[in-house]
Amino acid sequence: YWDEYQIVQCQGCDSISFRHNSTNSEDQVFFQLPNGEYDSELEDHINIYPSRIAGRTKVKRYWLLPPQVAEIYDQTHSDLSNKLTILGPIGIRALVESVCHEKKATGGNLEKKINNLVELGVLTQAGADILHTIRALGNESAHEIKAQDEESTDLAMDVVENLLQSVFILDK
């Protein structure tokens, strides 16, 4: 069993974090070499404290969001800050659903409601395509009970926060 501890600094935002890398002889990943033989290497388990998403600040002026959207936003932000990698993506999907509800988008499912946002002029087609990807991420967490990686979840939240700003906050 091996443990490695480091104090690291982000070269982008200069934030300081604690990095823990652990591995053990039981965590081996096997792969095939080009010559047909097999080899293995130890799998690293890296944790960063606080997590990259834990330091995430809320959207500026989020109190201007409609009350139901703000409530879902608060809970989703909390889920992501606590590294809840199944509930966080479900919350992100719920945020998209709440935007559709507030804008009175019609359709029998979220896919059709997102497409209706394009028809209503709330979104561009490119924006809708991105939201469909986020919808799929949330569906995977909800229906397959699958955790998502922090980076994908963080990017999805960035997109939805941008949507919230453009639809509700900048308008006011």
Side-chain angles (χ1 to χ4, degrees):
Y1 189 84
W2 298 269
D3 276 314
E4 180 180 352
Y5 302 94
Q6 297 174 312
I7 295 175
V8 295
Q9 182 174 15
C10 176
Q11 292 182 358
C13 67
D14 291 330
S15 63
I16 304 286
S17 298
F18 179 76
R19 180 180 183 270
H20 175 220
N21 181 14
S22 65
T23 190
N24 67 67
S25 59
E26 300 297 316
D27 289 339
Q28 292 188 34
V29 178
F30 293 93
F31 54 92
Q32 189 172 11
L33 299 171
N35 65 6
E37 294 182 22
Y38 287 90
D39 198 2
S40 68
E41 61 184 29
L42 297 177
E43 183 177 16
D44 289 327
H45 301 280
I46 298 172
N47 289 305
I48 307 238
Y49 305 97
S51 71
R52 290 287 179 227
I53 206 162
R56 175 180 205 97
T57 56
K58 288 188 177 178
V59 138
K60 290 182 182 178
R61 298 180 190 89
Y62 82 94
W63 59 86
L64 294 173
L65 295 171
Q68 184 181 23
V69 177
E71 179 66 26
I72 295 168
Y73 179 74
D74 277 337
Q75 289 183 25
T76 302
H77 187 274
S78 178
D79 289 345
L80 295 175
S81 295
N82 288 298
K83 298 178 82 170
L84 300 179
T85 56
I86 294 174
L87 295 178
I90 294 170
I92 292 170
R93 185 191 183 286
L95 276 170
V96 174
E97 185 88 43
S98 70
V99 171
C100 293
H101 179 76
E102 285 293 323
K103 290 299 178 180
K104 305 203 182 333
T106 58
N109 58 35
L110 184 55
E111 179 181 16
K112 291 176 183 171
K113 290 176 184 177
I114 290 170
N115 290 335
N116 188 241
L117 288 178
V118 175
E119 295 169 19
L120 294 172
V122 175
L123 283 179
T124 64
Q125 185 58 52
D129 293 343
I130 293 169
L131 287 184
H132 285 307
T133 303
I134 291 170
R135 176 182 57 81
L137 187 87
N139 286 347
E140 194 173 74
S141 288
H143 301 297
E144 298 175 25
I145 321 301
K146 183 176 179 192
Q148 305 297 324
D149 66 274
E150 276 188 68
E151 186 176 355
S152 297
T153 304
D154 194 29
L155 288 171
M157 188 64 164
D158 288 343
V159 170
V160 172
E161 284 179 337
N162 187 6
L163 174 69
L164 296 175
Q165 285 181 323
S166 64
V167 171
F168 298 114
I169 296 172
L170 293 177
D171 193 35
K172 292 180 181 174

